[in-house]
Amino acid sequence: MVVEGDALDLFVEKLRSDAPPLSRIMDLQVSPGEYQGFPDFSIKESEETGSFTLLSPDVAVCGDCLRELFDKNDRRYLYPFINCTNCGPRYSITESVPYDRSRTTMKVFDLCPACEREYRDPRDRRFHAQPNACAKCGPRVTMPGGEAQGSVKRDPIEETIGLLREGKIVAVKGLGGFHICCDAANGEAVERLRLKKRRSNKPFALMAPDVGTIRRFCYVSSDEEALLNSRERPIVLLRKKDDNPLPDAVSPKNSFVGFMLPYTPLHYQLFYHPCGDGLSCHFSCLVMTSGNISEEPIVIDNDEAVDKLSDIADAFLVHDRGIFMRVDDSVVRKREGTSESGKGLFSFIRRSRGYVPGPILLHEDGPDVLGCGAEVKNTFTLTKGRYAIPSQHIGDMENFETLRFFEETLRNLKSVYRAEPEAVAYDLHPRYLSTQWALSKGLMSGKVDSGVDSPRDLPAFGIQHHYAHIASVMAEKGIKEKVIGVAFDGTGYAGDGTLWGGEFFIADIFGFTRAGHLDYVALPGGEQAIREPWKTAVSCLKKISGKDFRDHMELAGFFARYGREKVVMVGDISEKKDFSPLSSGAGRLFDAVSALLGVCDRNTFEGEAAIALEAAVFSGIDDLYPYDVVYGEPAKLCFSRTFLSILDDIGRREEVGVMAAKFHNTLAESAISVVRSLAAVTGIGKILLSGGTFQNDYLMRRVDNGLRSLGLEVFTNELVPCNDGGISLGQAYIARERLKAGLIEKDYA
Ligand code: ZN
Ligand code: ZN
Ligand code: FE
């Protein structure tokens, strides 16, 4: 930009201080130039410079638009697609860059004269607002099939509100995909939805009209309130109040529930649309769960919705503004403590809508690379220059639909950021679709995206799963030197025939050594034990109890619960190597204890038993159980005495909340003692914590506090999830740093 005048310093200052809410100044350099004598002020067309421009994430409806939405005198009164330059859809509707209406799904709508005037006027709030529209010229909502069923042709939004109030389930097309919606205050409706959405206890996300309403159900701190109100509008996991009136089916056996505020005009209308029934607000909260079947990606297309969601939904509220990029809601949870800036600490459970495709700053320049992620909760990460660009939540990569979504999104983000990966990084698990994809597309044919051929084979880096978890923290903090990494996780591939997941590494960008791990537990039937944690508990006791096995199973109530014969059989299977792989996963240890305490014996979704065990913890307990560390290379943490002491407690009818707390304390204390000795031996002072088990805030807090009190520096994920959603960032960082260091061997790790 070129400026002339008297107050140039002030101009530069204002450029920063008065920048529009959605602008992001990445870099500002000022240099003197020739005097041109400009006659007036003008905005020129963007020039093609070869560098990329950032594409904004989708933004919640702003206060100004919201006021107009419910203003009878405004020309957009009750128009569900109202937006302006400060708000509205971005990433989800953009087909290619630069961001311009003709390259969005809005291209099929011609601006009416009134909208056109706003769009052209530099003083208007809708100047160059690409999705600008009104009821005359823009998208509209409809209810497919409504007329065919002979229902009176009413306003579709009013109709939807009426159905929801009757306890019906409605699929509602949103910003980044469909939601399945029902009245959360209606226990029967929620129960019915839970039955229809497979037999999973996965918590449903809720939407409430305002924070005041959420406080009727949950505790909300000021940090959490600010986050709920932020323009990213994530789902925030909040602690339930004891006497909350929510139906149990919303989030069974969980002390937390996810709430978000409305983020589109249509959402606000579901709560506040005038229906002539005298109500100012129709619902206290609505269930808003992802509109998908089994593990497929969230549905975005109207016909596809009717096709796939008809078994679940009684009706559909759709619209004709196309969704180009599907984006699920983001999920965030507050952590105990405050950051250095005095603000609250948050961790991502899922980084998606509102945040993606925003980049993460990588502190230094580097080559373009691609990290393909792992399997569950997958994302990929591209790097470009100083930035890492993690994709939105792709989902569990176990079917063709998810793989296609992965490819679509990759193609899109590559073109947005003009990234041409020079290397790919992948998980070592040979059966992961992401691994197979990386090896076939990345290495064999020398291309990293369908349709884009590369003249050479790309170096491919296989990165061990838990090393990638630790590397995701390195990436966030720009760490390259040696660290002690603690990865507490479910299970991940290691290549040595066992499943890792409770690991202590000495690591840097060049590799890692396994300095310690949790002792192995046999998983009877492998995958089966992961779904049925009580089998892991049987396996633990079979190994530990010796001749007392049957007495112990009796004492724990397992014979009564699962049948003597079955328990004995599972015990026998656990001793057969071929059927029972060994796992050092912290998640599996949580499974076993959760089942042993009778808290939760089935995982209908990943982490269920562990989440339930955390929820059971009584606060204010510092006692722990005995444990053993067998020092060696690697060191081994053994919990045999822990289990025996838990059995003693069970025999004494100790409270479950006390035992759950003591177990958490034991695991935390044992991890701290291993790190303490590793730090003493190696002189390494930076400790990195990651892996899905660290979503457990109680565990994280204790380990974090304990290590800090030893004078160690502790780092954890703040920008990406510590679960497998963060794996791709770690992979990409390692591949990128190794390329920079001139290493291109494949399978380096
Ligand atoms: Zn607005
Ligand atoms: Zn218009
Ligand atoms: Fe993992």
Side-chain angles (χ1 to χ4, degrees):
M1 127 171 55
V2 186
V3 276
E4 294 175 350
D6 299 326
L8 292 182
D9 287 343
L10 187 65
F11 179 84
V12 174
E13 197 185 305
K14 290 265 180 195
L15 205 54
R16 285 190 192 278
S17 62
D18 295 5
L22 296 187
S23 65
R24 221 168 140 175
I25 299 175
M26 307 303 281
D27 195 14
L28 185 60
Q29 290 171 15
V30 184
S31 57
E34 287 284 288
Y35 176 72
Q36 311 265 336
F38 296 121
D40 59 7
F41 172 78
S42 67
I43 298 177
K44 297 234 179 105
E45 287 289 308
S46 324
E47 273 170 46
E48 181 60 62
T49 58
S51 68
F52 67 90
T53 47
L54 295 176
L55 173 59
S56 167
D58 298 292
V59 185
V61 58
C62 74
D64 290 331
C65 286
L66 203 51
R67 262 187 299 281
E68 290 167 357
L69 178 66
F70 291 107
D71 175 359
K72 282 199 177 91
N73 300 315
D74 193 273
R75 74 182 188 91
R76 289 190 182 82
Y77 177 54
L78 301 182
Y79 180 57
F81 303 94
I82 186 169
N83 68 84
C84 70
T85 36
N86 300 328
C87 75
R90 296 288 186 275
Y91 178 52
S92 61
I93 60 162
T94 306
E95 297 171 346
S96 63
V97 284
Y99 174 60
D100 194 6
R101 189 177 176 101
S102 63
R103 281 178 287 266
T104 69
T105 58
M106 285 300 293
K107 65 179 178 230
V108 297
F109 302 100
D110 291 327
L111 289 160
C112 71
C115 287
E116 175 93 36
R117 259 196 308 282
E118 296 165 337
Y119 184 84
R120 299 271 165 235
D121 181 358
R123 283 155 305 187
D124 196 278
R125 206 173 88 243
R126 298 193 166 87
F127 175 55
H128 272 257
Q130 308 304 347
N132 192 26
C134 72
K136 271 207 197 87
C137 66
R140 51 194 70 188
V141 291
T142 49
M143 291 197 87
E147 304 84 14
Q149 287 160 17
S151 72
V152 195
K153 228 181 156 194
R154 274 203 295 178
D155 168 9
I157 297 177
E158 199 173 329
E159 177 86 26
T160 300
I161 292 167
L163 289 172
L164 291 171
R165 288 187 61 81
E166 284 169 26
K168 294 283 194 296
I169 297 167
V170 185
V172 178
K173 185 173 179 180
L175 186 63
F178 273 81
H179 280 125
I180 309 275
C181 187
C182 74
D183 182 357
N186 184 330
E188 254 171 72
V190 180
E191 206 77 57
R192 203 159 65 88
L193 177 55
R194 187 156 292 290
L195 280 175
K196 288 182 167 210
K197 268 215 114 188
R198 300 173 302 136
R199 295 233 167 74
S200 161
N201 293 326
K202 212 171 189 170
F204 289 143
L206 302 178
M207 182 178 276
D210 51 57
V211 174
T213 308
I214 298 177
R215 285 212 165 93
R216 284 163 47 194
F217 308 105
C218 294
Y219 299 100
V220 187
S221 70
S222 57
D223 290 332
E224 287 163 335
E225 178 168 3
L227 190 65
L228 283 163
N229 275 308
S230 71
R231 57 174 170 259
E232 289 85 3
R233 294 285 156 95
I235 295 168
V236 181
L237 298 189
L238 300 167
R239 188 174 288 280
K240 290 182 199 165
K241 289 186 171 168
D242 281 340
D243 53 350
N244 78 78
L246 289 172
D248 188 52
V250 166
S251 68
K253 286 188 219 164
N254 199 320
S255 46
F256 286 80
V257 63
F259 262 105
M260 61 183 150
L261 293 179
Y263 54 87
T264 68
L266 181 58
H267 292 154
Y268 275 102
Q269 284 173 272
L270 290 179
F271 289 101
Y272 295 114
H273 194 76
C275 293
D277 53 9
L279 287 172
S280 61
C281 184
H282 304 289
F283 307 98
S284 60
C285 56
L286 291 168
V287 167
M288 280 282 190
T289 186
S290 271
N292 58 359
I293 49 166
S294 60
E295 301 307 326
E296 288 187 12
I298 188 169
V299 171
I300 53 174
D301 182 78
N302 295 350
D303 294 336
E304 188 193 4
V306 174
D307 190 38
K308 290 190 167 171
L309 304 177
S310 285
D311 289 343
I312 303 175
D314 302 310
F316 295 83
L317 180 64
V318 306
H319 60 73
D320 55 355
R321 187 176 72 196
I323 298 172
F324 182 72
M325 264 293 112
R326 58 190 99 219
V327 255
D328 286 82
D329 295 317
S330 293
V331 185
V332 179
R333 177 175 170 179
K334 175 154 173 41
R335 283 171 45 201
E336 200 70 22
T338 48
S339 67
E340 277 123 49
S341 59
K343 284 204 195 118
L345 278 175
F346 289 94
S347 48
F348 280 103
I349 307 294
R350 183 198 291 161
R351 183 181 181 275
S352 220
R353 177 189 49 76
Y355 300 93
V356 176
I360 287 172
L361 195 59
L362 285 181
H363 308 269
E364 271 180 28
D365 246 319
D368 301 5
V369 301
L370 169 67
C372 297
E375 182 172 63
V376 298
K377 303 182 170 85
N378 203 30
T379 63
F380 64 79
T381 295
L382 277 169
T383 69
K384 171 80 185 180
R386 281 181 298 155
Y387 302 113
I389 305 101
S391 74
Q392 69 269 38
H393 170 78
I394 302 287
D396 298 352
M397 295 257 292
E398 38 195 46
N399 50 52
F400 173 70
E401 284 73 15
T402 333
L403 183 63
R404 201 174 53 187
F405 177 25
F406 177 98
E407 289 188 323
E408 278 166 16
T409 310
L410 177 60
R411 200 174 307 132
N412 186 34
L413 282 179
K414 270 181 63 184
S415 89
V416 166
Y417 281 92
R418 297 168 193 274
E420 260 327 313
E422 292 173 33
V424 289
Y426 58 92
D427 197 274
L428 294 177
H429 202 307
R431 280 201 307 277
Y432 283 177
L433 273 183
S434 63
T435 304
Q436 293 170 0
W437 184 91
L439 289 175
S440 65
K441 304 269 176 153
L443 188 66
M444 308 304 284
S445 65
K447 56 185 194 177
V448 291
D449 188 8
S450 40
V452 185
D453 283 299
S454 162
R456 66 216 144 92
D457 279 355
L458 295 172
F461 294 90
I463 313 282
Q464 199 278 328
H465 188 93
H466 306 101
Y467 175 41
H469 272 305
I470 298 305
S472 70
V473 185
M474 292 181 176
E476 285 191 19
K477 312 294 171 195
I479 294 172
K480 286 190 255 184
E481 69 267 41
K482 276 213 171 1
V483 299
I484 297 172
V486 183
F488 278 180
D489 202 28
T491 46
Y493 191 83
D496 66 356
T498 67
L499 299 164
W500 289 11
E503 311 305 315
F504 297 80
F505 291 153
I506 308 291
D508 60 16
I509 55 164
F510 300 113
F512 67 90
T513 51
R514 193 187 195 197
H517 64 88
L518 306 187
D519 196 10
Y520 290 115
V521 175
L523 303 180
E527 288 290 312
Q528 233 186 57
I530 297 176
R531 280 193 302 272
E532 299 181 77
W534 67 270
K535 293 185 173 169
T536 308
V538 171
S539 164
C540 287
L541 293 190
K542 180 76 182 174
K543 183 175 160 194
I544 294 161
S545 304
K547 61 177 175 25
D548 296 330
F549 174 63
R550 282 166 194 251
D551 290 347
H552 287 165
M553 292 281 69
E554 181 80 57
L555 174 71
F558 273 39
F559 286 156
R561 236 175 283 155
Y562 311 108
R564 181 179 292 264
E565 222 171 296
K566 200 163 179 196
V567 169
V568 170
M569 192 180 76
V570 170
D572 289 343
I573 291 174
S574 74
E575 292 179 323
K576 297 200 167 80
K577 281 204 173 77
D578 289 350
F579 301 104
S580 305
L582 295 177
S583 157
S584 59
R588 303 290 77 85
L589 192 60
F590 270 90
D591 280 356
V593 174
S594 192
L596 189 60
L597 298 186
V599 171
C600 178
D601 60 0
R602 284 197 166 68
N603 279 325
T604 62
F605 65 95
E606 199 201 15
E608 181 176 1
I611 290 169
L613 190 62
E614 183 190 0
V617 168
F618 284 175
S619 58
I621 291 168
D622 286 319
D623 295 349
L624 41 129
Y625 293 118
Y627 63 90
D628 296 285
V629 183
V630 182
Y631 282 99
E633 284 173 10
K636 216 163 59 179
L637 269 82
C638 301
F639 298 100
S640 300
R641 289 199 295 145
T642 312
F643 275 96
L644 294 175
S645 304
I646 291 174
L647 285 166
D648 283 347
D649 269 359
I650 291 174
R652 270 201 306 266
R653 297 178 185 279
E654 180 57 275
E655 297 229 47
V656 167
V658 174
M659 294 188 281
K662 283 165 77 177
F663 165 71
H664 276 78
N665 298 347
T666 309
L667 184 60
E669 192 53 45
S670 65
I672 292 164
S673 74
V674 169
V675 172
R676 185 204 292 127
S677 63
L678 289 175
V681 170
T682 59
I684 296 170
K686 282 190 164 67
I687 319 299
L688 276 47
L689 311 177
S690 192
T693 302
F694 278 118
Q695 278 172 186
N696 183 319
D697 194 46
Y698 184 93
L699 180 73
M700 169 63 99
R701 198 169 71 232
R702 280 195 98 89
V703 174
D704 187 39
N705 288 342
L707 294 173
R708 280 177 205 276
S709 71
L710 298 174
L712 298 165
E713 275 187 284
V714 186
F715 302 90
T716 58
N717 294 106
E718 288 173 56
L719 305 175
V720 295
C722 64
N723 61 40
D724 285 5
I727 285 276
S728 64
L729 175 66
Q731 293 172 338
Y733 185 68
I734 294 297
R736 176 181 181 271
E737 295 309 309
R738 286 185 188 170
L739 277 191
K740 278 164 67 180
L743 299 165
I744 53 164
E745 295 100 311
K746 66 175 181 113
D747 290 351
Y748 188 92

